[in-house]
Amino acid sequence: MKKITIIASLALIAMTGWAQKRVNNHMYNPDPAPVVSGDRLYVFTGHDLDTATYFRMPDWQLFSTTDMEHWTDHGVVMSTANFKWAKQGDNAWASQAIERNGKWYWYVAAEDTTKHLHGIGVAVADRPEGPWTDPIGKPLIPGDWGFIDPTVFIDDDGQAYLFWGNNGCWYAKLNEDMISIDKSFANNGICDMRPMLDDEAQFGPKCMKMDYQLHKRVMKTGFEEAPWIYKIGDTYFLEYAAGGVPEHWAYSTAKSIHGPWHYEGRITDEAPGSFTIHGGTIDFKGKSYLFYHDGIPSGGNGFRRTTAFREFKRMKDGRIPKINILQDSDNTEDPRGIYKMMTLTGNLGEVKAPYEQYKICTDSMTLMVSVRNTFFSMTDNDHDVFHYTGEQPKSADDKSTRIYDSNAKHFTQKWWSRYQDHIHFPHNGWCIEKYESGQYSEAGKIFFDALTGDAQVDAANTLTGTWRIIGFVDELRDLKKGLPRMQEQYPNSKYFNSFIVFAPNSWAMLNSGGGAVDKVEYLSKKSYKVGNTTHQVKWLTKDRIAIDDIADYRIDWMILERVTDGITPLSRIASQYISRRKK
């Protein structure tokens, strides 16, 4: 056992040459929370004791910089002594601070002695260095299971929000005074996000983890703890520790702070030497940085953690590439997306693609799409779990860049082609050229717009939009009786994740096997024409319709329900493929 420990320590010492940088090297400072104020970036952290063998955390520290190279250590600026309601000398856990109207507000997790569980406190100061005071003399959010790791955000309309949670996520609206919550919001001021967390399309794959209330391991949401909330343009970003223990860093996005959310994938893998990871990304002076903690300086002691950070480059829409914190280079492009096979380079040299074919690279898998006229087939026959682990080549001759691993085997692949935008797929030795905008066929554009949720919608035509096929009935009079059973059986039916998308000028039918597209002509609210066939529409509710379908010389009725949760067909279909693999 001692030999293993020595080897692990030597391995961690060897890691110190990596590209991450530190704010301080003489004290342990976990749970970094960066914030920009004017020309300076501040990092609020916790404090692991030098002798800690568990989470021994008595106070909070502050560091700052103007250039990301030279750091000012402001020392311990607040402790549990600032909160008379908190357990003293310990359990000063993760925090985040924010500036508003000339004041600073620091939200911290500390043990509520009336509940013997962590709650959320708030302190106020005129400047980040303090002095800090407790303005309410009690927890802002009283102690409860999982009530740790606060993050705070002020929206464009001035409304401030406080998020927090471990093995669950909750949020509240802060009043303008920033030291009280709006009790008229949600359930006595607190909205419980756990139903959303259980949706894999919103927060990623579930995993086995310990439930400390049930005292056993159960399948739970991939969301673990440490939410980090912010906004870029009209998109909300929620970063968080995920995957149980050890944790990795992941994120989801939404068009509303209330959701629904869309799981975007991992930001980085597990922090070396630490079974936890906590931090967040921030933009400062035109560059983007990921802050987190690891256990390298302590030789791998997961209770003595130190803040680290590294620069990365956001994509144009603000999304975050997979960041390899173990790699001495920046990730400059995220290859998730749709790729058209223009030319192929392999054992036979370079040839043109034999027919229209695409790759869809998601965060968790790749799908192959083949096109025959207006019919599309879709498979996952690559059997490759797609993880971005490298950067674009620096030159046409650079063939050293790693691009992804296959089925978690860490199977290194390289760029083969002389073209920088080619990616190598190992099952057949081919490289494919990255798709460029405008290269779709007309049918291909309709199909992918429908699949990824980019299909146009006519506000004046209530039929346009994405609809999920629930099932069929022979007679509409049988619907009231058959609908509950139809919905109950839907996840196991052959119609599961089958969609029809109506766009202003086109129609598409999609499922996990592919689909078809065609032109559409809307005759009225109650009928439309695809090809030479006219279909009747019966409106059952504003979000449920029946469409006639001729089969075996009789008319059946296809029942459709409008997709209102914002989750794209591609997200659902990809999740379906992943579930099949797990089985």
Side-chain angles (χ1 to χ4, degrees):
M1 185 66 179
K2 185 178 293 184
K3 181 179 179 181
I4 294 173
T5 303
I6 292 172
I7 292 172
S9 299
L10 289 173
L12 286 166
I13 291 169
M15 293 176 184
T16 58
W18 293 337
Q20 82 269 11
K21 298 179 180 180
R22 301 194 183 277
V23 303
N24 175 276
N25 282 313
H26 70 268
M27 290 184 77
Y28 296 123
N29 42 41
D31 304 328
V35 59
V36 175
S37 178
D39 189 49
R40 185 168 289 270
L41 182 143
Y42 293 90
V43 180
F44 295 77
T45 78
H47 177 200
D48 287 338
L49 291 181
D50 293 354
T51 57
T53 55
Y54 186 64
F55 297 113
R56 294 293 310 282
M57 306 173 69
D59 45 47
W60 295 273
Q61 305 176 83
L62 178 67
F63 307 87
S64 70
T65 183
T66 57
D67 60 9
M68 304 301 291
E69 293 291 337
H70 304 91
W71 288 86
T72 300
D73 180 355
H74 301 280
V76 172
V77 294
M78 191 169 70
S79 74
T80 54
N82 290 76
F83 303 98
K84 302 305 181 185
W85 52 267
K87 180 179 180 178
Q88 297 301 299
D90 198 2
N91 287 351
W93 287 9
S95 66
Q96 187 182 351
I98 197 168
E99 185 179 13
R100 185 170 199 177
N101 297 332
K103 294 282 189 180
W104 282 81
Y105 300 89
W106 196 350
Y107 301 89
V108 302
E111 184 178 330
D112 180 349
T113 54
T114 66
K115 302 288 187 68
H116 301 292
L117 292 168
H118 272 76
I120 310 300
V122 58
V124 181
D126 293 327
R127 52 202 296 266
E129 299 86 348
W132 292 89
T133 60
D134 179 355
I136 59 176
K138 62 181 180 180
L140 173 62
I141 308 294
D144 207 338
W145 280 99
F147 278 22
I148 64 171
D149 296 353
T151 179
V152 62
F153 163 73
I154 302 174
D155 210 342
D156 299 335
D157 61 1
Q159 177 61 61
Y161 294 89
L162 185 70
F163 284 65
W164 67 92
N166 167 284
N167 272 266
C169 191
W170 298 263
Y171 69 103
K173 286 185 176 181
L174 289 166
N175 291 321
E176 192 169 353
D177 63 11
M178 301 294 283
I179 61 173
S180 62
I181 67 172
D182 179 357
K183 291 295 186 72
S184 68
F185 173 67
N187 183 14
N188 198 30
I190 297 176
C191 182
D192 187 345
M193 289 179 60
R194 283 177 292 182
M196 284 193 284
L197 300 185
D198 281 335
D199 186 347
E200 293 188 345
Q202 297 193 66
F203 287 94
K206 293 183 179 181
C207 58
M208 289 292 295
K209 60 173 69 172
M210 188 66 184
D211 187 309
Y212 291 98
Q213 287 180 278
L214 299 176
H215 302 290
K216 64 178 182 179
R217 291 176 60 82
V218 296
M219 283 294 293
K220 300 184 71 173
T221 172
F223 178 99
E224 181 68 17
E225 60 183 356
W228 180 260
I229 184 77
Y230 59 97
K231 186 179 184 182
I232 297 178
D234 64 350
T235 302
Y236 296 88
F237 289 71
L238 184 60
E239 300 177 18
Y240 46 89
V245 176
E247 300 170 344
H248 61 267
W249 198 244
Y251 78 114
S252 300
T253 60
K255 293 301 182 182
S256 166
I257 199 166
H258 309 295
W261 296 86
H262 175 263
Y263 177 63
E264 296 286 354
R266 290 191 179 209
I267 296 175
T268 192
D269 294 326
E270 294 76 10
S274 174
F275 56 87
T276 61
I277 188 169
H278 189 122
T281 63
I282 197 163
D283 297 335
F284 180 56
K285 296 188 175 181
K287 295 183 177 180
S288 299
Y289 300 90
L290 167 66
F291 281 80
Y292 60 96
H293 66 227
D294 64 25
I296 292 175
S298 67
N301 186 317
F303 302 111
R304 303 174 200 171
R305 301 152 298 172
T306 306
T307 288
F309 66 93
R310 65 164 298 148
E311 184 183 340
F312 71 97
K313 185 177 180 180
R314 287 187 185 273
M315 289 176 276
K316 291 180 180 179
D317 60 2
R319 287 188 303 134
I320 306 167
K322 178 74 180 296
I323 301 170
N324 186 351
I325 56 178
L326 312 184
Q327 180 175 299
D328 190 18
S329 61
D330 293 328
N331 297 312
T332 58
E333 178 143 351
D334 183 346
R336 288 177 293 185
I338 301 169
Y339 296 75
K340 186 176 182 180
M341 297 179 73
M342 304 293 289
T343 58
L344 303 101
T345 305
N347 298 329
L348 300 178
E350 188 167 296
V351 298
K352 289 184 178 180
Y355 50 87
E356 195 175 349
Q357 200 165 41
Y358 299 86
K359 290 272 188 178
I360 303 176
C361 297
T362 72
D363 183 71
S364 52
M365 68 184 311
T366 60
L367 296 170
M368 172 75 78
V369 177
S370 300
V371 185
R372 309 284 186 178
N373 297 319
T374 60
F375 295 93
F376 296 75
S377 63
M378 186 157 52
T379 66
D380 67 336
N381 59 2
D382 279 338
H383 301 294
D384 298 324
V385 178
F386 188 87
H387 295 299
Y388 184 49
T389 61
E391 62 175 348
Q392 286 277 40
K394 294 180 175 64
S395 70
D397 297 323
D398 182 1
K399 298 184 173 59
S400 63
T401 304
R402 290 180 294 176
I403 186 66
Y404 67 95
D405 60 51
S406 178
N407 290 322
K409 296 176 182 176
H410 305 289
F411 179 79
T412 301
Q413 290 301 315
K414 300 176 183 292
W415 296 80
W416 273 24
S417 174
R418 65 178 181 271
Y419 297 108
Q420 290 192 20
D421 286 337
H422 282 56
I423 292 178
H424 175 232
F425 289 86
H427 77 288
N428 57 13
W430 290 116
C431 295
I432 63 172
E433 185 176 350
K434 186 175 181 181
Y435 166 77
E436 298 295 339
S437 179
Q439 293 285 323
Y440 287 127
S441 65
E442 183 178 3
K445 176 171 173 47
I446 294 171
F447 178 81
F448 288 116
D449 282 353
L451 192 66
T452 59
D454 290 331
Q456 293 183 350
V457 174
D458 183 355
N461 184 349
T462 54
L463 191 58
T464 56
T466 303
W467 300 79
R468 184 165 49 237
I469 302 173
I470 301 300
F472 286 80
V473 294
D474 294 335
E475 300 287 346
L476 284 180
R477 63 172 179 263
D478 299 331
L479 181 60
K480 185 175 181 180
K481 180 179 179 181
L483 185 61
R485 184 178 61 180
M486 191 183 300
Q487 291 174 320
E488 180 182 351
Q489 296 176 347
Y490 172 70
N492 298 314
S493 76
K494 63 182 179 181
Y495 310 114
F496 183 58
N497 284 343
S498 295
F499 303 87
I500 289 181
V501 179
F502 293 100
N505 300 304
S506 59
W507 164 99
M509 179 177 285
L510 316 168
N511 58 38
S512 59
V517 301
D518 211 333
K519 297 291 186 182
V520 65
E521 179 183 358
Y522 298 100
L523 305 177
S524 70
K525 183 181 177 180
K526 297 183 178 180
S527 64
Y528 66 93
K529 189 175 183 179
V530 174
N532 295 320
T533 305
T534 298
H535 295 273
Q536 302 301 313
V537 179
K538 301 288 187 181
W539 288 85
L540 307 173
T541 68
K542 70 180 182 66
D543 291 325
R544 185 180 296 141
I545 58 176
I547 296 174
D548 67 337
D549 185 75
I550 300 175
D552 300 329
Y553 305 102
R554 74 177 192 275
I555 296 178
D556 289 340
W557 291 92
M558 181 191 302
I559 309 303
L560 287 78
E561 291 185 348
R562 191 189 301 273
V563 175
T564 59
D565 57 11
I567 301 173
T568 66
L570 176 58
S571 294
R572 293 192 181 278
I573 289 170
S575 295
Q576 183 178 350
Y577 275 114
I578 292 169
S579 296
R580 288 175 183 172
R581 289 180 180 181
K582 289 179 179 178
K583 294 177 180 178

